Amino acid sequence: APFSFFNAFCADTPVVGFGPVWRNPAKDTIANSRATREFVVNVVSEEIADAMNLCSGEYGPDVDEFAMSTLTPVMRDVVKPPRVKESHINMECSLMQIIDFSEKPSGGSLVLGKIVRMHVDDAIIDASYKIDPDKLRAIGRMGGPDYARTRDRFSMVRPETKVRT
């Protein structure tokens, strides 16, 4: 399911996290993360946005969101949950910690996981062996029903600074 609050938090050891909003009963993603202590982060590109959105509904645990969305589950290499075949980047994660902030209607949690295996589609790798954002065409959720495309990018060189001794 899509999350407004997904990010990378550390590069060494690689840590990612997402922020599910409180629901009663809990949404499958956080309930399954608590039960299995594992999860998979699948980066969403423009071509699978509609299928991803179908997975965001308030469904019971008996609904197979893979079947409903026509996304393809791929059995994992390391963790139990499947990854999404159509996603160009998948991160298999081992649960590190869940921080529950509030169980109020607008409350939420932070789910942190160590990346134990990463899958990157060769089709999005450029000549310098880096991920080409123009080929990835990732989208990001802005909150509510709003999303952003990552096609309008710019770079800024950081100022040189002296390290304090």
Side-chain angles (χ1 to χ4, degrees):
F3 287 97
S4 299
F5 308 109
F6 154 71
N7 211 331
F9 292 97
C10 187
D12 187 12
T13 302
V15 175
V16 294
F18 63 93
V21 174
W22 174 255
R23 300 280 196 275
N24 191 10
K27 295 267 293 185
D28 289 348
T29 304
I30 191 166
N32 292 339
S33 296
R34 285 187 200 280
T36 66
R37 303 205 46 84
E38 300 173 329
F39 60 91
V40 177
V41 173
N42 300 284
V43 174
V44 178
S45 297
E46 289 180 46
E47 65 266 20
I48 62 170
D50 289 333
M52 174 272 315
N53 190 51
L54 287 173
C55 296
S56 69
E58 298 286 335
Y59 308 113
D62 57 323
V63 174
D64 182 348
E65 294 173 20
F66 276 107
M68 180 193 52
S69 67
T70 69
L71 292 170
T72 310
V74 174
M75 294 320 293
R76 75 288 174 210
D77 286 350
V78 179
V79 301
K80 293 177 185 95
R83 56 191 175 94
V84 175
K85 179 180 180 181
E86 292 81 2
S87 174
H88 296 294
I89 301 173
N90 317 102
M91 293 167 268
E92 296 186 38
C93 300
S94 171
L95 181 66
M96 295 176 68
Q97 183 177 9
I98 297 177
I99 302 168
D100 294 312
F101 298 112
S102 171
E103 294 180 359
K104 294 178 180 177
S106 294
S109 303
L110 174 61
V111 180
L112 297 170
K114 178 174 90 172
I115 299 172
V116 294
R117 180 69 48 93
M118 191 158 174
H119 305 267
V120 180
D121 184 352
D122 289 341
I124 64 165
I125 302 297
D126 67 16
S128 62
Y129 301 102
K130 293 183 180 176
I131 294 169
D132 183 336
D134 289 322
K135 292 178 182 176
L136 177 59
R137 296 175 56 213
I139 63 167
R141 187 164 176 213
M142 302 296 293
D146 296 326
Y147 289 80
R149 291 181 174 92
T150 57
R151 288 188 251 161
D152 184 16
R153 296 179 307 276
F154 62 96
S155 298
M156 295 192 300
V157 177
R158 292 183 179 182
E160 291 187 34
T161 57
K162 291 187 176 187
V163 177
R164 295 181 188 170
T165 56

